[in-house]
Amino acid sequence: MNVPKGKLIIIGGAVDMNTNLSAQEDIIKPDHLKFFEEGILKRIITESAKKTGSTVEVITTASQIPDLVGVEYIDAFGQLNVQHIGVMDIRNREDAKKEEYLERIRKADVAMFSGGDQLRLSSIFGGTEFLQIMKNRYQDEHFVIAGTSAGAAAASTNMIYRGQSSKALIKGEVQITAGLGFIDSVIIDTHFVQRGRIGRLLYAVASNPGMLGIGLGEDAGLLITDGTMMEAIGSGLTILVNGRKMSETNIYEVEMGSPVSIKNMRVSVMSIFDKFDLTQNQLIIKKSVKVDKSAV
C-alpha cells in the first residue's frame, strides 16, 4: 500500500464556533473552551502546505442548515486570516457531477466536511468522480482532508450510520455501511463521551476485530499522517477500542434482537499529543508535556 502524502484530520464534532451548529446538536459549549477556532481549526491550517494562503473548500452536504453552517466556517477560518474560503453546498449526486465543483476540488488545498448526517455523504459522493479526485489528491499531493462529526464518521472505509446508544449491544441495532474510504482498518464514532456511545463502538469492533474503533469526544480530534500515525489534538479525549486480542464473542451465534457478549476487548484513552501507530498497533503516551493553552 502506498503511503499517502496528504493529511487527514477527524474531529469529534459539534462544539463548533459557539453558534447555530452547537444549538442544532443540542450541545452547550463552555465560554472558556474555544478549541475549534484556536486549536483544531488552527491546526488544520498549520498542516496545510500554504498555511493561511491555502484555498479552503467547506463541504456542507451532510448538514440540514448548509447556509448557516457555511457562514460560520467562513467566519471561523477568516479569524485565522485565511483569505480563500469557499462553500460547496452539494445537495445531491447531480450536484457532485458539476464541473464547477470538480474544478474547485482539484484546486483546493484543504477540504472540510461539516457535520450532519454521514449517510448523506456516502450516498451522494460514493462512486463519484468528485470523491475519486479527493482520494487521488490525498494519495499523491500535500492535500488536507478534514471532517467534523458526520464528516469524521464518514472518513473511513466502514462507517456507523445508525444505532441507539442504549441498545447498542443488541444484535442488529448498530448499522454499518461503506464510508468515503480515506482510511482503512478503522471505524469512527463521534460525540463519543458526551452521548455514551461506547456500546456502538464495542459492537462494531466485535463484528470485525480487524478494525480499530475510534471514539472521538466533541473537543477531540486526530491528525493522521502517512495514513498510519494518529496524533491526538484538541482538549478532549479519544477512546480506542481494539479487538485484535478479543478472545471470544457470541455476536455471530445469537439471534437478531439478542444481547451480545464480548470477552477481552482492549480499551485505551488518548489525550492531547498522544500518538497511535496503526502499523504497530501501539499507543504512545506523551509524558510530562507542558500544554500550550493555545493548542487546545
Side-chain angles (χ1 to χ4, degrees):
M1 179 180 174
N2 295 329
V3 175
K5 292 183 178 179
K7 297 176 181 178
L8 179 64
I9 298 175
I10 52 175
I11 307 155
V15 210
D16 295 56
M17 290 95 69
N18 203 20
T19 63
N20 290 299
L21 295 179
S22 297
Q24 178 201 18
E25 300 280 359
D26 196 27
I27 301 297
I28 297 173
K29 173 182 174 182
D31 291 337
H32 68 278
L33 184 61
K34 293 188 177 180
F35 84 95
F36 202 84
E37 299 98 320
E38 297 175 5
I40 295 178
L41 202 67
K42 184 177 180 180
R43 187 66 182 270
I44 291 171
I45 299 306
T46 300
E47 293 296 332
S48 63
K50 297 178 183 177
K51 306 299 190 275
T52 56
S54 297
T55 296
V56 177
E57 293 286 0
V58 179
I59 303 170
T60 58
T61 304
S63 178
Q64 294 182 5
I65 49 170
D67 293 340
L68 291 173
V69 170
V71 169
E72 296 298 343
Y73 276 101
I74 290 171
D75 180 63
F77 279 114
Q79 291 182 39
L80 295 173
N81 298 316
V82 179
Q83 303 299 315
H84 308 292
I85 313 160
V87 176
M88 295 189 186
D89 183 23
I90 297 173
R91 295 283 93 192
N92 51 54
R93 291 180 66 84
E94 287 302 312
D95 285 347
K97 296 177 183 178
K98 291 180 179 178
E99 187 57 39
E100 171 198 350
Y101 290 131
L102 298 179
E103 189 62 22
R104 284 169 61 179
I105 202 63
R106 290 187 187 105
K107 294 180 178 180
D109 302 296
V110 177
M112 175 85 198
F113 286 97
S114 75
D117 180 356
Q118 56 262 42
L119 196 57
R120 286 185 57 83
L121 294 176
S122 60
S123 61
I124 289 174
F125 290 111
T128 63
E129 183 180 359
F130 186 97
L131 181 58
Q132 192 57 53
I133 290 170
M134 292 191 71
K135 288 182 175 181
N136 291 344
R137 296 199 62 209
Y138 173 64
Q139 186 67 40
D140 299 332
E141 303 175 36
H142 296 289
F143 181 56
V144 177
I145 299 173
T148 182
S149 187
S156 52
T157 299
N158 297 287
M159 74 173 188
I160 298 170
Y161 74 94
R162 184 177 299 161
Q164 295 182 42
S165 299
S166 61
K167 299 179 180 179
L169 288 171
I170 301 298
K171 185 172 181 178
E173 178 64 27
V174 175
Q175 302 293 313
I176 299 170
T177 190
L180 299 180
F182 299 125
I183 183 170
D184 295 323
S185 72
V186 304
I187 191 161
I188 302 157
D189 210 349
T190 57
H191 309 281
F192 193 74
V193 177
Q194 293 78 2
R195 299 189 184 181
R197 288 180 166 173
I198 183 68
R200 296 194 348 163
L201 210 52
L202 287 168
Y203 185 97
V205 175
S207 69
N208 187 348
M211 296 188 299
L212 177 72
I214 300 173
L216 296 165
E218 286 168 354
D219 52 351
L222 290 177
L223 165 65
I224 304 170
T225 55
D226 299 329
T228 58
M229 184 58 73
M230 307 192 304
E231 177 191 345
I233 58 178
S235 64
L237 300 176
T238 295
I239 312 300
L240 302 179
V241 175
N242 195 328
R244 293 190 182 181
K245 295 191 181 296
M246 182 184 73
S247 59
E248 191 176 357
T249 181
N250 64 354
I251 196 169
Y252 47 85
E253 295 175 328
V254 299
E255 296 180 356
M256 297 294 286
S258 299
V260 170
S261 300
I262 304 167
K263 184 177 180 180
N264 291 342
M265 187 76 80
R266 180 179 294 178
V267 176
S268 301
V269 181
M270 295 179 72
S271 59
I272 190 168
F273 304 127
D274 291 346
K275 294 184 178 182
F276 189 92
D277 187 334
L278 288 167
T279 303
Q280 301 297 321
N281 194 37
Q282 182 177 5
L283 175 62
I284 305 155
I285 294 178
K286 187 71 172 179
K287 300 177 181 177
S288 302
V289 174
K290 183 179 180 180
V291 177
D292 178 359
K293 291 184 178 180
S294 69
V296 300

